[in-house]
Amino acid sequence: MMDRNNNPETAAEDPADALLRQLFHLKVYENPDAARMIRNKQNIMRRVREASSRKHWSLADLLEVNIPWFFTEPKYGIAALFVVFAGLQYLGINSRNASQSHTGIYTVADGMVAFEQHTAVSTNTISYPKLPDNLSLFPDQQGDSGVKFVGRIEPKK
Amino acid sequence: MAGSLNPKTEEIPKEGNGPTDEELVLKSQQGDMCAFDELVERYHGKIYGLTYNMTSNREDAEDLTQEVFVKAFEALPRFRSKSSFYTWLYRIAVNKTINYRKKRNRKRALSLDQFDQEIKADETYHDLTAKGSPLRNISLSELQEKLNEALQHLSEKHRTVVVMHDMQGVPHDEIAKVVKASVGTVRSRLFYARRQMQAELTEFMK
């Protein structure tokens, strides 16, 4: 039942309420044994240390401790994730371009690929005298049959 | 020793009088056990007082106090300072106590702490035991038992506000944060809880 002003606090000033307050006040003297309280605190710290030693910090725990704003304000967390994602994408694209331009396999050449001559010569081949490829058998006579000797002259071994 | 559970006489250290709660919480989150030890030292009396008055059983209160601090330690990495450490710890204590009582089916015998001898020097005690007082013929232990029984007959939500406000001196707005209700709801619960206790005690004093 409330009073005329419907204010529970004002209504609480009647004698019955005052008596109740006095009784509550006496509970201040209802105190635990000091030795039991000391033991209780020691037990708490023992259990806390046990809990601490078997605790495995997850990545989420570490993040929450070190960057609490990330979780407190999810919108900033999401924004930060987006920035990290965009940054990684940018770095990925750059590294791909860099690999294409600097490794031999993907070298971009404007014209034909020029092989260096010395790398193509084998070391144990015999060198031959330079002769024309086609020799006429009867070069100065009439009635040239048109037959030409095609061969190779090799030195005696 | 008198009043060690009373928040009015147990000041929370502020700047210049040791580290603040925020500093201790931060250090504890980084694994500093001494900082957590300091928090236990600072709030042990209050949490024991809350759980004791909620259960009227000192063994249960001791167990619950341990559970509350261990739970707080485990949940500390997730504490985000949206509320004060004190409010957060009280919330853990209230929830733990309510759940504990539900599990125990609320049927527990009273196991009460002794009154300090200093009570005999208290004015209120003299008033209550003076001639003309309705309580003059009732022994102190009888009175204590009846008061605790009346407290245990309240519902959980009503007992919570009575214990926090009338016994521990926690202001309405802090209680509202702890129980996640409006200040008006807290005042209303307090009003009806007092009425119910008055009714029980009046019956006893007849």
Side-chain angles (χ1 to χ4, degrees):
Chain A
M1 294 290 282
M2 294 192 187
D3 67 346
R4 280 175 297 185
N5 300 324
N6 269 352
N7 184 350
E9 290 298 298
T10 314
E13 295 304 320
D14 64 32
D17 220 56
L19 181 66
L20 194 62
R21 281 180 192 227
Q22 286 179 315
L23 289 174
F24 284 150
H25 171 73
L26 292 187
K27 274 188 86 66
V28 167
Y29 295 97
E30 204 176 293
N31 276 324
D33 179 40
R36 287 178 73 116
M37 287 299 97
I38 290 169
R39 256 201 319 276
N40 193 245
K41 282 184 217 171
Q42 287 169 344
N43 286 338
I44 289 168
M45 287 316 293
R46 182 179 49 76
R47 286 189 57 188
V48 162
R49 285 194 170 86
E50 281 172 10
S52 174
S53 63
R54 66 168 182 266
K55 182 171 186 174
H56 299 292
W57 287 76
S58 65
L59 181 63
D61 287 339
L62 291 172
L63 287 174
E64 281 196 54
V65 169
N66 295 307
I67 46 170
W69 55 268
F70 190 92
F71 296 91
T72 314
E73 293 292 343
K75 61 184 176 186
Y76 295 133
I78 291 166
L81 275 178
F82 177 75
V83 168
V84 169
F85 176 75
L88 287 173
Q89 286 294 312
Y90 179 76
L91 288 175
I93 290 166
N94 272 359
S95 66
R96 266 202 302 281
N97 285 343
S99 69
Q100 281 178 2
S101 59
H102 292 300
T103 57
I105 298 168
Y106 296 107
T107 297
V108 178
D110 292 335
M112 291 288 287
V113 176
F115 289 97
E116 290 178 26
Q117 196 65 36
H118 67 272
T119 56
V121 174
S122 57
T123 54
N124 61 347
T125 54
I126 300 160
S127 58
Y128 300 106
K130 270 285 182 190
L131 290 171
D133 290 338
N134 302 325
L135 289 173
S136 295
L137 292 178
F138 312 103
D140 298 326
Q141 293 178 3
Q142 295 290 322
D144 187 355
S145 65
V147 176
K148 290 180 179 174
F149 172 73
V150 179
R152 177 179 289 174
I153 298 167
E154 291 183 2
K156 282 184 180 176
K157 289 186 181 174
Chain B
M1 189 60 200
S4 70
L5 300 181
N6 186 351
K8 288 166 188 165
T9 57
E10 227 179 280
E11 287 298 320
I12 296 167
K14 301 288 180 195
E15 279 179 42
N17 192 15
T20 61
D21 281 0
E22 287 75 19
E23 289 166 347
L24 289 173
V25 165
L26 194 64
K27 283 183 183 175
S28 303
Q29 285 176 328
Q30 290 162 350
D32 184 345
M33 298 302 285
C34 293
F36 193 76
D37 201 358
E38 176 69 32
L39 286 170
V40 172
E41 196 64 44
R42 200 172 276 188
Y43 290 108
H44 183 269
K46 290 181 187 3
I47 297 301
Y48 176 82
L50 177 76
T51 53
Y52 170 73
N53 287 313
M54 290 277 285
T55 57
S56 294
N57 186 300
R58 60 182 179 175
E59 287 80 18
D60 285 354
E62 284 172 7
D63 290 347
L64 275 166
T65 306
Q66 279 188 35
E67 296 295 328
V68 169
F69 281 106
V70 172
K71 172 75 184 170
F73 178 77
E74 287 171 347
L76 209 53
R78 290 184 290 282
F79 173 64
R80 292 167 198 164
S81 303
K82 276 186 176 176
S83 58
S84 67
F85 175 73
Y86 154 84
T87 306
W88 181 72
L89 192 64
Y90 258 69
R91 195 177 297 145
I92 293 175
V94 168
N95 292 337
K96 276 261 171 204
T97 308
I98 291 173
N99 289 338
Y100 187 85
R101 283 175 58 85
K102 275 182 189 166
K103 278 183 196 167
R104 297 259 178 149
N105 208 18
R106 300 180 188 182
K107 286 173 186 170
R108 288 286 280 176
L110 297 182
S111 167
L112 304 174
D113 287 324
Q114 298 288 312
F115 275 120
D116 279 331
Q117 289 302 308
E118 290 174 36
I119 193 172
K120 288 175 182 169
D122 191 277
E123 272 186 39
T124 309
Y125 174 76
H126 281 287
D127 288 348
L128 287 171
T129 52
K131 275 185 182 177
S133 164
L135 302 175
R136 65 188 177 280
N137 295 323
I138 301 168
S139 73
L140 199 57
S141 59
E142 213 177 346
L143 188 63
Q144 182 190 23
E145 200 172 302
K146 196 64 204 173
L147 184 63
N148 280 289
E149 270 176 10
L151 204 53
Q152 294 310 309
H153 289 157
L154 295 176
S155 70
E156 303 290 352
K157 60 184 182 182
H158 287 106
R159 187 167 55 254
T160 303
V161 292
V162 166
V163 168
M164 288 182 77
H165 187 269
D166 289 346
M167 295 177 194
Q168 300 209 292
V170 180
H172 293 114
D173 55 336
E174 284 294 322
I175 299 173
K177 285 179 198 166
V178 171
V179 299
K180 292 188 177 174
S182 68
V183 174
T185 305
V186 170
R187 286 175 188 271
S188 168
R189 284 180 191 175
L190 197 55
F191 176 78
Y192 287 105
R194 285 172 181 162
R195 284 288 168 272
Q196 194 180 329
M197 286 199 72
Q198 278 172 12
E200 284 224 18
L201 291 169
T202 308
E203 197 66 28
F204 168 68
M205 286 181 280
K206 271 180 186 173

